[in-house]
Amino acid sequence: MKEYEEKLAWFYSTYFAEIVLDELLNLHQTEQVEAFYKWQLIEEDKDDNKFVDAAVASNADYIITNDKHFKVLRNIPFPKVQTLSLQEFKDLLV
C-alpha cells in the first residue's frame, strides 16, 4: 500500500494520499488482497503486472483499462484474465 501512497503523493500531498487510500479501503465494495504469486504476464510494461496479479488473487471478473499493454492478456489461456475497455464496461452496465 505504501507504493500507491507514494505515487499519489507525486501529485498531491502525503496527507491527502493517506486519506484517499484509507477511504478506499473503508468502502464496503473494496477488498484488500495479497498477491502471493507474481505471474509476470505483461512484458512491455512490467509495472502493469501488479494489477494482473491482484485480479488473479481476487478472482476478479475483469480489469477495466484502456491501457494497450493489457491486450496481451487476450492471448494467454492461463490464468485467464479478462479485460474490458472503459467503453465496453459502460456498455455492459447499460
Side-chain angles (χ1 to χ4, degrees):
M1 205 50 138
K2 185 75 172 157
E3 175 183 343
Y4 299 106
E5 179 181 319
E6 290 170 359
K7 293 202 183 235
L8 278 172
W10 286 349
F11 301 101
Y12 307 103
S13 69
T14 301
Y15 175 73
F16 180 77
E18 288 173 3
I19 290 173
V20 168
L21 291 174
D22 286 343
E23 289 302 314
L24 285 173
L25 287 173
N26 286 326
L27 293 171
H28 72 277
Q29 304 97 325
T30 303
E31 179 181 341
Q32 186 172 355
V33 296
E34 183 77 28
F36 291 102
Y37 188 79
K38 310 277 188 236
W39 291 95
Q40 299 300 310
L41 299 178
I42 300 176
E43 291 290 322
E44 281 191 46
D45 187 353
K46 294 191 180 290
D47 193 48
D48 290 340
N49 282 307
K50 63 183 169 243
F51 302 110
V52 177
D53 297 340
V56 172
S58 66
N59 198 26
D61 293 326
Y62 314 103
I63 294 177
I64 313 302
T65 181
N66 287 332
D67 186 329
K68 66 180 179 171
H69 298 120
F70 286 82
K71 290 182 181 180
V72 71
L73 298 175
R74 296 176 184 167
N75 302 321
I76 298 174
F78 183 83
K80 194 64 184 161
V81 180
Q82 188 171 359
T83 62
L84 295 175
S85 68
L86 183 55
Q87 186 59 53
E88 290 170 327
F89 184 62
K90 285 171 63 177
D91 293 344
L92 185 69
L93 294 176
V94 177

